[in-house]
Amino acid sequence: GSEADIVAYENVVAIVESAQRTDQLMVGSIVQVDQNRWLATDIPKIVDKNAVLTSTSVFFNGSMEQIAKAEAGGLSQTAQELISNLQAIDAEIAAAAPAEKDKLNEQRADIIEKIFDDCTNLTDRETWAKQFADTVGYATQNKEYANGLKRLTAFQSKLENLGSEVQAYVAFKLITADYNLKLADATNSQFAAIQTDYLKQLEGFATKFPQAEDAAEAMVQLGLNAEFQSDLDTAKKWYKQTADAFPDKPAGKKATGAIARLTLEGRSIKSLAGKTLDGKNFDTAQLKGPLIVHFWASWCTPCKDDMKDLRKLQGRFSKGLNIVGINLDETAESAKQFLANKENDYPWTHLHDQGGLESRLPVSLGVFSLPVTIVMDENGKVLRSTTHYTSDIETLIEGVLEKKEASAK
């Protein structure tokens, strides 16, 4: 995966005016290619007069897409005029200097809130409530709208008559914007308090909106944090809640895998099979001796640190230890390029499955973040399942090999 920043805009709508009518052209998401060129991620679509716009996502969960007619007669003349103004503001924001964006984002929020207030149809109001949360949340966490948090907080009072799904959507945008904004200026001494407050907000959100789409992310984050703190009982509780609430969603399936991973120690894994980076079939069942399975990606700095320790370990136990890497880059080519660098000489088998963190093996074992390391003895019995390489892994391998050597005498 690329480590370079990209510039992208969501919610891009062009207003096409003629002598007789005004039409909307839904452009969607665009990505900056160079100083003068932008690339659309989809084919622009004409939005007919009986259509409204709703939130979808490529980057920020905030682009616009045509959906079915929401109210007879379509948008009001006032709303159409406001949308024209919105398109003009978007163009100004795209070209504005950083110092000018705060005022422009305030104006953009004003326009979207006026469109929301003008709508009489429930579906329209829900649509523009989400658009308000998207645009204000994104501008706030990017430090381009100083009043954004207050604006989002105040806007929540207008959602009482809307469904819990929209209330949850706006609430989660507020939590996320608040957290990212605080992190942007945080010192090391402040991080723990910010993280504690964020987790408290996530727990409150998951409790209040347990069926909301964003609740899955909140529960997973709570589970991950507990796992990092070695509080495995709490981690399993949140993963189970995710799996129970969202059994058919990717997060729910992965949470089921995470519960399995956290209960691996003492159990046996007879086989982990897949394709190597060169596309050849490989199965850990063919190996003899203790095995370390390491989930990694070329964009993951802690993974690279672990791999250096694993290389030292391999050097010490060169004749008895097996290591298999499970690469979770989006493409095998990215992993190959990384390993081709002479500084990245990690001469063990690496498996790869298209899809990165959402591919088969990480889903089956609930790998939400990297790295993950699993240590097994020569019979496939799991001795340790952990997030990072730890020094006691060397002791575990040493014990397995000594036991094997003693039994062979």
Side-chain angles (χ1 to χ4, degrees), residues 3-310:
E3 294 183 347
D5 292 337
I6 63 171
V7 177
Y9 283 95
E10 304 276 29
N11 303 351
V12 179
V13 178
I15 306 299
V16 182
E17 296 183 347
S18 65
Q20 303 298 322
R21 58 183 291 176
T22 298
D23 290 315
Q24 301 173 56
L25 182 67
M26 196 279 286
V27 180
S29 304
I30 58 175
V31 181
Q32 189 171 25
V33 178
D34 55 36
Q35 186 172 0
N36 300 309
R37 293 188 301 154
W38 293 78
L39 176 68
T41 63
D42 201 353
I43 299 173
K45 305 177 183 68
I46 290 290
V47 181
D48 67 43
K49 69 178 182 178
N50 291 324
V52 296
L53 301 170
T54 190
S55 180
T56 183
S57 174
V58 173
F59 298 100
F60 313 115
N61 221 16
S63 63
M64 301 180 183
E65 182 177 294
Q66 183 177 353
I67 62 170
K69 177 178 178 181
E71 60 177 295
L75 297 171
S76 70
Q77 182 62 37
T78 298
Q80 290 187 40
E81 291 174 359
L82 288 168
I83 289 173
S84 295
N85 294 338
L86 183 62
Q87 191 267 346
I89 286 290
D90 284 345
E92 287 189 62
I93 291 174
E100 301 171 334
K101 290 189 176 182
D102 189 280
K103 181 179 179 180
L104 290 170
N105 278 309
E106 177 84 14
Q107 293 174 14
R108 192 178 201 281
D110 288 342
I111 293 171
I112 296 177
E113 189 164 3
K114 287 177 182 177
I115 296 173
F116 170 84
D117 291 338
D118 181 75
C119 294
T120 57
N121 178 276
L122 179 62
T123 302
D124 288 351
R125 288 175 65 80
E126 291 177 344
T127 293
W128 287 102
K130 290 182 177 181
Q131 290 299 326
F132 183 89
D134 287 337
T135 192
V136 175
Y138 177 66
T140 300
Q141 67 188 31
N142 283 278
K143 303 178 73 173
E144 294 177 350
Y145 187 15
N147 199 41
L149 292 180
K150 291 181 180 179
R151 196 70 185 266
L152 275 172
T153 302
F155 185 70
Q156 289 181 304
S157 65
K158 292 189 172 187
L159 306 178
E160 293 178 358
N161 295 325
L162 299 183
S164 62
E165 189 265 338
V166 175
Q167 294 176 24
Y169 189 94
V170 176
F172 197 73
K173 290 293 181 181
L174 175 58
I175 291 171
T176 303
D178 177 56
Y179 176 62
N180 288 330
L181 186 62
K182 288 175 179 175
L183 279 186
D185 296 320
T187 63
N188 290 338
S189 62
Q190 295 171 321
F191 179 77
I194 292 172
Q195 190 71 8
T196 298
D197 180 63
Y198 175 57
L199 294 170
K200 183 178 180 180
Q201 290 188 64
L202 289 182
E203 186 165 358
F205 177 86
T207 301
K208 185 176 181 179
F209 302 107
Q211 299 298 320
E213 184 176 348
D214 290 318
E217 181 177 342
M219 293 173 189
V220 166
Q221 288 298 323
L222 289 163
L224 272 173
N225 178 75
E227 187 176 346
F228 291 149
Q229 300 299 322
S230 298
D231 185 356
L232 300 188
D233 287 339
T234 299
K236 283 184 278 189
K237 181 196 80 170
W238 285 113
Y239 290 147
K240 185 177 186 306
Q241 193 166 333
T242 309
D244 289 346
F246 306 96
D248 299 322
K249 300 290 186 181
K253 294 177 181 179
K254 211 166 188 180
T256 299
I259 295 170
R261 175 172 53 80
L262 292 180
T263 56
L264 278 177
E265 292 186 17
R267 297 166 55 193
S268 293
I269 298 178
K270 297 299 184 183
S271 170
L272 285 175
K275 298 281 189 180
T276 67
L277 295 177
D278 295 323
K280 298 177 181 178
N281 292 324
F282 183 88
D283 193 329
T284 59
Q286 70 193 56
L287 301 174
K288 296 181 180 180
L291 169 65
I292 296 177
V293 175
H294 182 247
F295 288 83
W296 69 281
S298 63
W299 44 261
C300 169
T301 298
C303 297
K304 299 172 191 177
D305 294 337
D306 281 4
M307 291 165 83
K308 292 175 183 176
D309 288 324
L310 289 172

Side-chain angles (χ1 to χ4, degrees), residues 287-293 314 317-318 320-324 348 397:
L287 301 174
K288 296 181 180 180
L291 169 65
I292 296 177
V293 175
Q314 186 189 51
F317 302 112
S318 58
L321 173 64
N322 300 291
I323 301 175
V324 173
W348 50 81
I397 297 299

